Amino acid sequence: MKELKDSKWFDVEYLPKEYIFSKEYRPGNLDSPVCDSIPVIDLSKVNGHVNSVEAIVKASKEFGTYLNLFDSIPGYSDSIPVTKQVINHGIPEKKVNDAMNVLKEFFNMSSKETHTKGWIYTNSTDYAKDGVHLWRENLKHPCHPIEDCIHLWPDNPTRYQEVISAYLVEIQKLSLRILELISEGLGLKSGYFKDMSEVQLLSSNIYPPCPDPSLTLGILPHQDPSLITLLYQGQSNGLQVMKDGQWINVGAIPNAFVVNIGNQLEIISNEKLKSVKHRVVNSTNETRLSIATFVNPSPDTIIEPAKVLVNEMEPSRYTPKQYKEYVQYNNAFGEYTVAIQNALRSKN
């Protein structure tokens, strides 16, 4: 990716002290290899195949919710171990590329307002923890329903709203398909998630090259407060997930989506599916751009374990709570939780 033309805060020889985290949060050794056993599911082969649906649930249990979903790549599927499957997610490559390009244009703009209308832009000077800054820039805005939210999005680049709305239509279709398969795998009724899942929030991050990635982070360790999160990371590595007490690298595959099962699906599944910690580390020579879309329950939805998953042997592990109460109580979006909730609530 071409270096950011106008954003020069990162163009330094040494890492400024305000970006250096305490030892407990530093990523440390960045030389660990990319994990080659992250589960991969072929979405084009799932329908009607019980084993494939079971594989989705099994992967979610074993790997803290990460699945790689990607279109067929000539010559690539042969290199996947037999226990893994390549995915056809069905989103046109052009729409994904257009979304990445327009977001790159946004981050390349010389001046960007913050907290404008319904969107939030944060740069490297925003605090992450204990007065330390993250090595990234971020854009967030509401997404559902698109027709009520689109006027809350950035006006520049001028094609932003058209391109991102087309992208989100595809994300909504894919998210419903994935949730339906997970529902089937858990033994829930068909359409269980249909009326409670909304692509509510887009969060895009750009991580410029960093002089010393071992001392800072792009995103702190966290769990997503969503049902599922669909992440597109292009061909840039940096995503890490915690497994068995160790951070492992989730490789970036061309045309791939990473599906992260969030806290709400962990609750609904009564902990049959797990949401684990993940983070983003930086690179000395690469710029990473990603698009995360959070598929959440509607604010008033009561979140609790599905009745069919609760019995004497498996009692409910959670108290029923409205999703908006969960977000507020857990301060799910940090210092921007109130602003995001207000944007999702108002949409006007």
Side-chain angles (χ1 to χ4, degrees), residues 101-103 105-107 109 154-161:
N101 287 333
V102 81
L103 282 161
E105 290 176 37
F106 172 85
F107 286 114
M109 291 191 307
D155 296 315
N156 291 302
T158 54
R159 66 192 189 102
Y160 182 93
Q161 296 178 2

Side-chain angles (χ1 to χ4, degrees), residues 9-267:
W9 60 267
F10 59 88
D11 190 14
V12 293
E13 186 175 356
Y14 300 102
L15 188 69
K17 64 179 181 180
E18 58 266 29
Y19 294 93
I20 299 176
F21 282 95
S22 60
K23 290 184 178 180
E24 64 178 309
Y25 288 104
R26 294 177 193 173
N29 181 18
L30 298 171
D31 296 329
S32 57
V34 172
C35 181
D36 61 2
S37 57
I38 295 292
V40 175
I41 308 296
D42 186 343
L43 210 53
S44 69
K45 296 180 180 179
V46 168
N47 291 339
H49 293 265
V50 174
N51 290 341
S52 295
V53 175
E54 290 178 347
I56 288 177
V57 176
K58 183 174 184 289
S60 301
K61 290 178 179 178
E62 291 184 357
F63 270 83
T65 73
Y66 276 92
L67 310 176
N68 276 324
L69 308 186
F70 51 93
D71 276 325
S72 302
I73 303 170
Y76 189 87
S77 59
D78 291 341
S79 69
I80 299 293
V82 293
T83 55
K84 308 297 181 291
Q85 298 179 37
V86 179
I87 285 198
N88 270 304
H89 54 68
I91 298 182
E93 186 175 352
K94 183 180 185 304
K95 290 189 177 181
V96 177
N97 289 339
D98 284 349
M100 290 288 278
N101 287 333
V102 81
L103 282 161
K104 190 190 307 182
E105 290 176 37
F106 172 85
F107 286 114
N108 262 324
M109 291 191 307
S110 57
S111 62
K112 294 176 281 290
E113 297 177 356
T114 60
H115 306 281
T116 301
K117 299 190 299 183
W119 57 275
I120 298 169
Y121 163 74
T122 57
N123 60 28
S124 63
T125 61
D126 286 283
Y127 293 118
K129 188 174 184 62
D130 300 329
V132 182
H133 308 311
L134 292 172
W135 194 266
R136 68 154 189 179
E137 295 181 25
N138 172 261
L139 169 68
K140 291 184 177 73
H141 63 65
C143 301
H144 179 84
I146 292 175
E147 59 271 20
D148 291 346
C149 291
I150 193 168
H151 69 285
L152 301 175
W153 303 351
D155 296 315
N156 291 302
T158 54
R159 66 192 189 102
Y160 182 93
Q161 296 178 2
E162 176 186 357
V163 167
I164 295 301
S165 61
Y167 175 78
L168 289 172
V169 167
E170 299 295 334
I171 290 293
Q172 175 68 15
K173 290 188 290 188
L174 177 59
S175 67
L176 286 173
R177 189 176 179 193
I178 293 169
L179 285 169
E180 181 65 14
L181 291 169
I182 291 174
S183 174
E184 182 180 345
L186 287 172
L188 306 178
K189 64 180 181 180
S190 178
Y192 186 91
F193 293 103
K194 184 177 180 180
D195 295 330
M196 72 163 71
S197 61
E198 305 170 352
V199 182
Q200 281 189 0
L201 187 69
L202 177 144
S203 180
S204 180
N205 293 289
I206 197 158
Y207 311 89
C210 176
D212 192 346
S214 70
L215 300 178
T216 191
L217 282 169
I219 293 183
L220 284 163
H222 68 284
Q223 296 170 300
D224 288 344
S226 57
L227 283 167
I228 58 174
T229 303
L230 300 186
L231 174 71
Y232 186 79
Q233 55 181 350
Q235 299 184 46
S236 299
N237 294 323
L239 175 65
Q240 295 186 332
V241 60
M242 177 70 76
K243 184 176 187 329
D244 299 329
Q246 300 292 325
W247 288 108
I248 61 173
N249 293 305
V250 180
I253 302 170
N255 302 319
F257 279 91
V258 175
V259 179
N260 173 22
I261 293 174
N263 292 336
Q264 306 313 302
L265 196 47
E266 178 176 314
I267 294 171

Side-chain angles (χ1 to χ4, degrees), residues 279-317:
R279 67 182 186 181
V280 173
V281 297
N282 299 97
S283 167
T284 55
N285 49 31
E286 286 189 357
T287 297
R288 171 184 167 88
L289 174 66
S290 65
I291 315 173
T293 42
F294 292 81
V295 183
N296 301 336
S298 58
D300 295 329
T301 301
I302 302 294
I303 303 298
E304 61 184 331
K307 297 293 192 294
V308 298
L309 301 179
V310 176
N311 52 52
E312 290 185 5
M313 298 295 293
E314 294 287 342
S316 175
R317 300 173 184 269

